[in-house]
């Protein structure tokens, strides 16, 4: 049995997950916590946020040297470092719009890395 704290909502329920009993979850205030508890032990995933270099900015955005990015879904936790290596290799050229795909289908996960700021 393993205890974890649910991060789905601000409540922070203390979950007990019984690996020997088909990953039964107790201590959750909602169904989302049960799903989180099972997934966290079987296949943990996270949304990844980072920044990438950006060049060619307008005079208005001339002080911006990095553009924030994130995954548009969750990726397996064990792929985080490999994903960061790919993100670190990217340099965008302005203009960049919020939602632009920076890296499509990162590491074959079906999840895109997208820009989260407009840079002119």
């Amino acid at each position: 049995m393993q205890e974890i704290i649910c991060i789905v909502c601000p409540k922070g329920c203390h979950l007990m997950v019984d690996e020997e009993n088909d990953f039964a979850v107790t201590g959750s205030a909602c169904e989302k916590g049960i799903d989180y508890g099972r997934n966290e032990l079987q296949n943990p995933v996270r949304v990844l946020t980072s920044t990438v270099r950006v060049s060619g900015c307008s005079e208005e955005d001339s002080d911006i040297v990095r553009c924030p990015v994130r995954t548009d879904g969750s990726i397996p936790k064990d792929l985080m470092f490999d994903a960061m290596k790919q993100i670190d290799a990217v340099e965008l050229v302005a203009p960049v719009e919020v939602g632009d795909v920076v890296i499509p289908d990162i590491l074959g996960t079906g999840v895109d890395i997208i820009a989260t700021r407009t840079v002119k």
Side-chain angles (χ1 to χ4, degrees):
M1 180 115 25
Q2 188 166 349
E3 181 179 4
I4 60 174
I5 297 175
C6 183
I7 61 171
V8 175
C9 78
K11 278 187 175 180
C13 295
H14 289 256
L15 309 177
M16 296 301 293
V17 183
D18 187 355
E19 302 99 324
E20 295 175 7
N21 191 17
D22 197 29
F23 294 92
V25 178
T26 56
S28 175
C30 68
E31 190 69 31
K32 289 180 182 179
I34 293 171
D35 291 341
Y36 172 79
R38 282 192 187 118
N39 291 335
E40 186 62 16
L41 293 187
Q42 294 177 329
N43 183 31
V45 294
R46 298 289 186 273
V47 170
L48 176 62
T49 61
S50 187
T51 60
V52 296
R53 291 179 298 279
V54 64
S55 63
C57 299
S58 69
E59 191 174 304
E60 177 183 336
D61 285 344
S62 63
D63 61 332
I64 297 174
V65 295
R66 299 196 68 85
C67 179
V69 296
R70 68 169 174 83
T71 54
D72 66 355
S74 298
I75 64 172
K77 192 175 172 183
D78 62 351
L79 294 179
M80 292 296 208
F81 288 108
D82 292 333
M84 285 302 300
K85 286 178 187 174
Q86 283 193 8
I87 290 169
D88 190 45
V90 171
E91 180 171 342
L92 298 175
V93 177
V96 178
E97 295 291 326
V98 169
D100 283 356
V101 175
V102 175
I103 303 173
D105 188 25
I106 191 152
L107 301 171
T109 59
V111 175
D112 296 334
I113 302 294
I114 60 170
T116 60
R117 178 181 182 162
T118 295
V119 181
K120 297 179 181 176

